[in-house]
Amino acid sequence: KVNDIEYTLDEENITIQFNGVSNASGYLVSLNVGTGKSDRVELAVPVTFSTENMIEGKTYTISVVSVGSGNYKDSDEATLDFVYEKPNVVEIRLSQFVGKSSKELDAYLYELDMKGSMNVSENACDSYHVVESIDNFKDGKYNLDSIKDVEVEYTCCKVN
């Protein structure tokens, strides 16, 4: 029987992961979406389903059965119930702050519940720090819950 079923959500999909079992030829993964179960036999994990027909606030069940091979029978069903909440996804473009004041970047990060960590380069500039680069964060779509308290490193010029 598989264990440790987990899932992650993005804007369009639910991705299901679990610990596989030895001697399984695959896994029957089901998600009750809409009027019935969406069954898929997969050889590997993770498994992804669309969230297009999922309703916010509704309880869904993920079930996984390992399919036996040779002398091994199919496992008992492992299940996980969850309430679907559409993720709070936002597009974050920190690159827009390159060439601007670090105060502007810090204010934006504060709004997102993120933190900034400034490195100072040897390049000199005027009376305020100008952001030269964002060092550890790529522009893209992020779930706000997953980036809370993330520390963004950026490099600024040295003030004259």
Side-chain angles (χ1 to χ4, degrees):
K1 180 175 177 178
V2 302
N3 56 38
D4 297 328
I5 299 173
E6 297 178 345
Y7 68 92
T8 55
L9 293 166
D10 63 27
E11 286 181 294
E12 300 171 352
N13 298 301
I14 178 170
T15 301
I16 301 166
Q17 300 187 134
F18 48 87
N19 290 337
V21 297
S22 57
N23 300 310
S25 62
Y27 301 93
L28 178 60
V29 181
S30 302
L31 177 64
N32 64 326
V33 177
T35 59
K37 283 188 172 183
S38 299
D39 290 335
R40 300 229 319 254
V41 175
E42 295 288 337
L43 297 177
V45 292
V47 178
T48 301
F49 290 95
S50 170
T51 57
E52 182 179 356
N53 294 322
M54 295 178 81
I55 299 168
E56 199 160 6
K58 181 178 176 188
T59 300
Y60 291 89
T61 302
I62 298 167
S63 66
V64 181
V65 173
S66 61
V67 179
S69 63
N71 294 329
Y72 296 94
K73 294 182 178 182
D74 293 354
S75 72
D76 291 336
E77 180 180 55
T79 61
L80 174 68
D81 293 331
F82 69 98
V83 177
Y84 174 67
E85 298 295 335
K86 189 170 184 162
N88 190 4
V89 176
V90 65
E91 182 150 0
I92 299 176
R93 290 183 39 246
L94 297 184
S95 63
Q96 69 183 321
F97 292 97
V98 173
K100 297 183 179 176
S101 163
S102 61
K103 289 181 182 180
E104 292 177 66
L105 174 58
D106 284 334
Y108 183 71
L109 293 173
Y110 180 79
E111 288 177 19
L112 297 171
D113 283 332
M114 298 171 75
K115 299 172 186 171
S117 174
M118 180 173 58
N119 300 307
V120 179
S121 76
E122 292 301 314
N123 299 324
C125 60
D126 295 331
S127 61
Y128 58 91
H129 289 284
V130 173
V131 176
E132 292 181 350
S133 64
I134 307 296
D135 301 327
N136 70 328
F137 194 89
K138 294 186 178 177
D139 290 353
K141 291 184 179 181
Y142 291 90
N143 183 333
L144 284 179
D145 297 330
S146 69
I147 61 168
K148 187 175 180 164
D149 295 325
V150 166
E151 188 168 323
V152 175
E153 295 176 15
Y154 58 93
T155 301
C156 287
C157 61
K158 181 171 71 174
V159 177
N160 285 336

